[in-house]
Amino acid sequence: MKIYEGLEGFTPVKNAVVTSGTFDGVHFGHQKILQRIREIARACDGETVLITFWPHPRLVLYPNEHNLRLLSTFEEKTKLLRQFGIDHLITIPFTQEFSQMSSEQFIKKVLIDSIKTRTLVIGYDHRFGKNREGSFDYLKANSALFGLDLEEISRQDVEEIAVSSTKIRKALESGDVKTAESCLGRPYELNGLVIKGQQIGRSIGFPTANIHIPNDYKLIPKDGVYAVEASVDGTLYKAMLNIGNRPTVDGTKKTVEANLFDFQGDLYDKQITVYFHEFLREERKFDSLEALKEQLVQDQRSARSLL
Ligand SMILES: Cc1cc2nc3c(=O)[nH]c(=O)nc-3n(C[C@H](O)[C@H](O)[C@H](O)COP(=O)(O)O)c2cc1C
Ligand SMILES: Nc1ncnc2c1ncn2[C@@H]1O[C@H](COP(=O)(O)OP(=O)(O)O)[C@@H](O)[C@H]1O
């Protein structure tokens, strides 16, 4: 997959089969669209092109709305799009100025002049251009004029899947990692770097890798204890993970930390990926570290039996 920042570096490809959108999470519904554009490209000996916007339009249009959290970081999204067979990824810097472009201008300048789109695939409810006025009907009425084939993912197809990024965000915010997993078609993941903590973990026999997630827009699931898998240096470990303030040790800021099963060694400064499988329990304040330790023994047993 080739990645282009903006349209400048892009040179038109043969029979471009195009779709556009934010694709946050690259969930099951998005995957249907990706599958469809791949099929069309194969049939016409063309190449798949995905236009996406970064930063997320809502972050630019509503900068005061600080609570928007995304399912995928830019790196996670590109990795997934590559896996799903996109040949060319164009990321358009989403600015206030860009948001003022009319749908007609978007079609003419971006889809036709710059990309030379042969087929455009969009969901029935997809809108683009200023105030999201560019609808499928408008495109359909003008597609001959624009010289492109149009393919709609129907309402029925979209509703059958019953998946949306919003639904997945809500599920994760309530700890429902199972629903998130079924909508994403894979477990929800976090990526980060292992950093030093207060080194209390090892003293109670449960060293915990503290994970620093550099992207503050990335959605962290609800506080609590989870059964997860963790991947480090290409090896996958079963693990348990806590998200929260650690009231037992009077913690003040939120941490994400994992105890890996059947692992011994040093993880500091390593890149780690965790995959959420089950919510185990709420985080609690224990009367002593000894009581916390007893609970961790139980948590480990529960996690092992679920994973
Ligand atoms: C699976 C798991 C569950 C945890 N549950 C709790 C909890 O319920 N309450 C709490 O205060 N801390 C909880 N913790 C956090 C511990 O307090 C933390 O691991 C300990 O403070 C050591 O942290 P440190 O080595 O990073 O300093 C949990 C940690 C893990 C890995
Ligand atoms: N099974 C394990 N799971 C998690 N971390 C482990 C494990 N074994 C060793 N470690 C190492 O121990 C560190 C955590 O120990 P801990 O005492 O909790 O210190 P810290 O407070 O710095 O996280 C991890 O960052 C990692 O380098």
Side-chain angles (χ1 to χ4, degrees), residues 198-201 210 246-248 257 281 284 286 292 296:
Q198 293 164 283
Q199 322 235 313
I200 301 168
N210 288 44
R246 306 175 301 151
T248 310
E257 47 183 327
R281 65 172 174 87
R284 285 174 22 216
F286 291 90
L292 169 65
L296 291 177

Side-chain angles (χ1 to χ4, degrees), residues 194-202 206-210 258-260 263-268:
V194 178
I195 53 165
K196 278 213 162 79
Q198 293 164 283
Q199 322 235 313
I200 301 168
R202 67 191 67 181
F206 286 98
T208 54
N210 288 44
N259 170 254
L260 279 51
F263 171 84
Q264 284 164 349
D266 184 358
L267 295 171
Y268 291 133

Side-chain angles (χ1 to χ4, degrees), residues 195-204 206-210 224-226 239-251 255 257-259 261 268 280-286 289 292 295-296 299-300:
I195 53 165
K196 278 213 162 79
Q198 293 164 283
Q199 322 235 313
I200 301 168
R202 67 191 67 181
S203 72
I204 56 169
F206 286 98
T208 54
N210 288 44
V225 180
Y226 295 84
M240 55 184 178
L241 172 135
N242 185 62
I243 301 174
N245 290 315
R246 306 175 301 151
T248 310
V249 296
D250 297 323
T255 62
E257 47 183 327
N259 170 254
F261 305 157
Y268 291 133
L280 293 177
R281 65 172 174 87
E282 304 281 342
E283 187 187 47
R284 285 174 22 216
K285 181 171 168 67
F286 291 90
L289 276 179
L292 169 65
Q295 179 62 49
L296 291 177
D299 292 338
Q300 187 178 41

Side-chain angles (χ1 to χ4, degrees), residues 3-4 6 19-24 49-57 74 77-78 81 88-94 98 106:
I3 302 177
Y4 310 82
T19 190
S20 85
T22 51
F23 286 85
D24 184 32
V49 179
L50 190 140
I51 306 167
T52 193
F53 309 100
W54 198 266
H56 192 288
F74 188 71
K77 187 155 85 170
T78 50
L81 293 173
H88 305 274
L89 173 66
I90 303 174
T91 65
I92 295 186
F94 195 87
F98 182 80
F106 179 80

Side-chain angles (χ1 to χ4, degrees), residues 167-213:
K167 180 176 168 182
I168 302 170
R169 288 186 198 117
K170 285 198 178 128
L172 291 168
E173 279 160 0
S174 65
D176 183 1
V177 293
K178 279 277 155 220
T179 296
E181 177 166 1
S182 66
C183 293
L184 288 167
R186 61 176 189 280
Y188 187 64
E189 69 182 64
L190 293 178
N191 286 285
L193 205 63
V194 178
I195 53 165
K196 278 213 162 79
Q198 293 164 283
Q199 322 235 313
I200 301 168
R202 67 191 67 181
S203 72
I204 56 169
F206 286 98
T208 54
N210 288 44
I211 307 170
H212 171 68
I213 294 137

Side-chain angles (χ1 to χ4, degrees), residues 5 28 55 275:
E5 263 179 60
F28 206 63
Y275 302 97

Side-chain angles (χ1 to χ4, degrees), residues 19 23 26-40 84 86 121-123 151-154 156-163 183-184:
T19 190
F23 286 85
V26 193
H27 58 56
F28 206 63
H30 297 141
Q31 291 166 29
K32 289 266 170 200
I33 297 180
L34 301 180
Q35 194 184 337
R36 189 73 199 110
I37 69 171
R38 238 178 23 238
E39 277 166 15
I40 299 171
F84 284 106
I86 295 302
V121 180
I122 53 172
E151 178 150 347
E152 178 190 32
I153 307 284
S154 70
Q156 196 196 334
D157 282 356
V158 173
E159 283 178 358
E160 219 168 73
I161 302 166
V163 165
C183 293
L184 288 167

